[in-house]
Amino acid sequence: MPQTSSKMLTFVVPTFNMDTYLERCVSSLTANPDSDDIEVLIIDDGSSDGTPELADRLAAAKPGIIRVIHQTNKGHGGAVNTGVANAKGMYLKVVDADDWVGQGSLKQLMDVIYQQRDASDPIDMFVTDYVYDKIGKRRKHVVKFDNVMVADRRLGWDNLKRFGIAQYMIMHALIFRTEVLRQAKTKLPEHTFYVDFIYAYQPFPWVKSLMYISTPLYHYFIGRDGQSVQTDVMIRRVDQLVRVNRAMVAATPEHGTVSDGLYRYMIHFLSIESVVASVFLILSRKPANYQIKQELWENQRNVSPQIARDVRRQLPSRAINLPGSVGRWIIRMGYHIAENIIGFN
């Protein structure tokens, strides 16, 4: 059906104690000439610094474009949930308050979104490239998807080629049609870290069409002190990765209920998240966490033997389950080598 939304695109900006970065983020979202068709929905998630006042000032400066919702703290997932429930845009993209978007890429995205305004069967999801913008690094790493998708064409899941061993579509790469998220009843756990894995996974069975736009839209700011993707932080919060894994397993469709291409990709992504959780359980060096790692993989068998078998067949899954102390040593060495080579953390 043709869209009846009052805006073409809503940027949901979950914000907690981000007064240092919020204005940079919002400025990047509203500097585009098409900003009248853009909504910036700032979700102030119980901030205790100057974020609430700053958000209100930004909204007062651009009424009709920027809105603010203040809520008690519910965590990143709770802030995204509020954004999805209140968005007025035909499409929705989550942008964390310390990140930003590139202006040329945003113009390119809007040009394509405008083509969906009166479409009888609009595209359900757009995929763009994104940039790891690490502090102190002059050369920025751009994550592209041109090896698995043909750009600027309407695609189905069966049109996608096989993703690389560690390649997957994270939240920063995705723009959903808002109605798809609502039909999927996408609701993220509150007070839980790493829920972006769920956001970039659970709605996919409701996505029937997608389009890849080959442009580095999203700039993912890396290196801020205390950031949730730092190794030591992820080890401390590894229980959150396990909780997210269980939610992803529960959201995985059985083989034969969705297209082969979608099932193949979801198994691939579930394997990656399972490996990530397992790596940090191993890096913790706590025997209790080694047992939790076993339970993580056993849970998949309990939920669905078929899904568990297919996940375990993936090469990373086989590698992470090398037995005993020697297997754990190999995983630790492999992680530290990869960390030094990639240098994102």
Side-chain angles (χ1 to χ4, degrees), residues 221-273:
F221 185 51
I222 296 289
R224 175 172 56 80
D225 194 36
Q227 200 163 20
S228 61
V229 295
Q230 291 177 340
T231 297
D232 60 335
V233 176
M234 293 190 77
I235 291 173
R236 291 199 304 272
R237 295 173 178 165
V238 70
D239 62 310
Q240 311 282 289
L241 287 168
V242 174
R243 183 182 181 189
V244 165
N245 184 266
R246 287 179 173 269
M248 291 175 66
V249 172
T252 305
E254 290 287 347
H255 184 262
T257 63
V258 295
S259 70
D260 289 346
L262 174 56
Y263 181 77
R264 181 173 63 244
Y265 173 74
M266 292 187 78
I267 290 297
H268 167 75
F269 191 6
L270 180 57
S271 169
I272 288 174
E273 200 283 338

Side-chain angles (χ1 to χ4, degrees), residues 108-154:
Q108 191 173 343
L109 171 65
M110 290 302 296
D111 287 345
V112 179
I113 284 179
Y114 277 129
Q115 297 172 19
Q116 310 304 313
R117 187 196 297 269
D118 298 313
S120 59
D121 188 16
I123 298 292
D124 288 334
M125 184 179 79
F126 294 104
V127 181
T128 67
D129 302 328
Y130 61 95
V131 182
Y132 280 101
D133 224 302
K134 183 176 171 67
I135 292 175
K137 272 192 165 258
R138 294 180 61 188
R139 187 170 179 271
K140 310 300 183 181
H141 178 70
V142 180
V143 177
K144 299 184 176 185
F145 296 96
D146 54 358
N147 63 316
V148 293
M149 302 180 207
V150 177
D152 304 321
R153 291 188 188 175
R154 185 187 187 93

Side-chain angles (χ1 to χ4, degrees), residues 197-238:
F197 278 112
I198 303 172
Y199 183 84
Y201 188 82
Q202 181 270 339
F204 282 172
W206 285 265
V207 172
K208 307 305 180 187
S209 59
L210 59 153
M211 180 180 289
Y212 169 52
I213 306 172
S214 181
T215 187
L217 174 68
Y218 196 102
H219 288 254
Y220 182 19
F221 185 51
I222 296 289
R224 175 172 56 80
D225 194 36
Q227 200 163 20
S228 61
V229 295
Q230 291 177 340
T231 297
D232 60 335
V233 176
M234 293 190 77
I235 291 173
R236 291 199 304 272
R237 295 173 178 165
V238 70

Side-chain angles (χ1 to χ4, degrees), residues 16 33 55 63 66 69 73 76 80 103 119 151 177 189 196-197 215 220 231 235 255 287 299 309 321 325:
F16 176 72
I66 301 174
I69 296 176
N73 183 262
H76 190 267
V80 172
Q103 291 310 296
R177 190 162 60 85
D196 49 310
F197 278 112
T215 187
Y220 182 19
T231 297
I235 291 173
H255 184 262
N299 174 66
R309 282 194 299 270
N321 284 295
S325 58

Side-chain angles (χ1 to χ4, degrees), residues 34 40 95 116 171 174 183 213 218 225 230 286:
D34 299 314
V40 177
V95 180
Q116 310 304 313
M171 180 180 74
L174 305 178
Q183 289 173 356
I213 306 172
Y218 196 102
D225 194 36
Q230 291 177 340
K286 294 180 179 179

